[in-house]
Amino acid sequence: MGCYHSKRTKKTPGYEEPTVLAAETPFTVSEVEALYELFKKLSSSVIDDGLIHKEELQLALFRNKNKRNLFADRTFYLFDVKRNGVIEFGEFVRSLGVFHPNAPVEDKIHFAFRLYDLRRTGFIEREELKEMVMALLHESDLLLSDDFVEKIVDKTFRDADLKGDGKIDPDEWKEFVSKNPSLIKNMTLPHLKDLTLAFPSFVSKTEVEDSEM
């Protein structure tokens, strides 16, 4: 009995109490507990060590762990707050909190800015914008000519770079997103508002709903 109990209560590396995480995020304690079940499932999908590796996050986001994906790379980088090559439970919940429907819009705008700031200079430069646009188009299976992609990037940069200095700073980005809210549409995941209804398996709920679409 003793061995069984210790196995049941064993927590993943970097585990943090739901009450602590609920106090720092838009999630309730029961939602954090539900997220822990999801975390355990994701963190054992490729390497069963209680930590989410890049391949596991990519598999969860795009159903593919091998194909290199810039968007997945950037998402993993931002979730991996400690920069140790893995995502711990606390990092997972705090980062996912940005995608909660009740998270402040400012947090979503800031996260999206960091997503596009590939070289971490504190600005979004034209080449960075182009790389992200091309990556997102590729993920959407949209095949556009190079000329058309250049036109999209040129127009976006022209509209966003209010100072005309060849780069987009955080304030310019915030102004641009306020006029084009669809840019952060993907920064909200409606499922995160109904986690307690979805469990014991949040993953099963999303798969069932996907099949009904």
Side-chain angles (χ1 to χ4, degrees):
M1 288 292 289
C3 291
Y4 177 70
H5 179 73
S6 63
K7 186 175 181 181
R8 269 187 63 193
T9 56
K10 184 181 179 184
K11 301 299 184 184
T12 58
Y15 176 81
E16 294 183 49
E17 287 299 325
T19 49
V20 173
L21 293 170
E24 297 178 13
T25 67
F27 298 111
T28 63
V29 172
S30 55
E31 286 172 337
V32 173
E33 290 170 346
L35 277 176
Y36 185 58
E37 296 305 313
L38 173 63
F39 179 84
K40 287 192 294 185
K41 184 167 284 193
L42 293 181
S43 64
S44 61
S45 60
V46 179
I47 302 169
D48 191 3
D49 61 357
L51 299 163
I52 295 179
H53 295 253
K54 187 183 288 187
E55 299 90 340
E56 291 169 324
L57 184 68
Q58 186 159 317
L59 184 64
L61 291 175
F62 304 107
R63 305 277 197 260
N64 187 318
K65 67 183 175 70
N66 295 317
K67 191 172 77 171
R68 191 172 184 282
N69 180 291
L70 179 61
F71 185 73
D73 286 350
R74 293 300 298 151
T75 303
F76 184 87
Y77 176 82
L78 295 180
F79 273 50
D80 177 21
V81 178
K82 292 182 181 177
R83 303 284 178 262
N84 58 355
V86 290
I87 299 171
E88 299 175 0
F89 179 56
E91 293 174 316
F92 180 70
V93 175
R94 289 187 181 89
S95 298
L96 211 51
V98 176
F99 293 83
H100 193 285
N102 294 344
V105 173
E106 289 77 12
D107 291 353
K108 297 177 187 292
I109 292 173
H110 179 61
F111 190 95
F113 181 87
R114 294 175 65 209
L115 205 61
Y116 279 79
D117 181 16
L118 303 178
R119 293 161 188 78
R120 303 187 291 282
T121 59
F123 301 96
I124 299 173
E125 297 170 354
R126 190 185 183 285
E127 273 308 304
E128 292 173 320
L129 180 64
K130 182 179 177 181
E131 283 182 55
M132 282 299 288
V133 166
M134 290 180 71
L136 294 170
L137 288 174
H138 181 70
E139 275 312 308
S140 305
D141 292 324
L142 287 174
L143 297 174
L144 301 178
S145 69
D146 290 343
D147 284 347
F148 197 72
V149 171
E150 290 290 343
K151 286 178 181 176
I152 292 174
V153 174
D154 281 342
K155 183 176 186 336
T156 302
F157 216 82
R158 191 166 55 248
D159 292 347
D161 181 19
L162 300 176
K163 295 173 185 165
D165 56 2
K167 56 192 178 186
I168 302 168
D169 65 31
D171 289 335
E172 290 173 321
W173 175 253
K174 185 176 181 180
E175 178 71 17
F176 183 61
V177 171
S178 70
K179 295 175 182 175
N180 301 274
S182 62
L183 283 168
I184 58 166
K185 184 180 178 183
N186 291 339
M187 296 300 299
T188 297
L189 301 176
H191 282 307
L192 295 181
K193 205 169 184 178
D194 301 311
L195 279 175
T196 49
L197 301 177
F199 270 83
S201 178
F202 171 63
V203 174
S204 294
K205 180 176 189 291
T206 58
E207 287 175 350
V208 168
E209 293 192 351
D210 285 345
S211 68
E212 291 174 349
M213 292 292 281

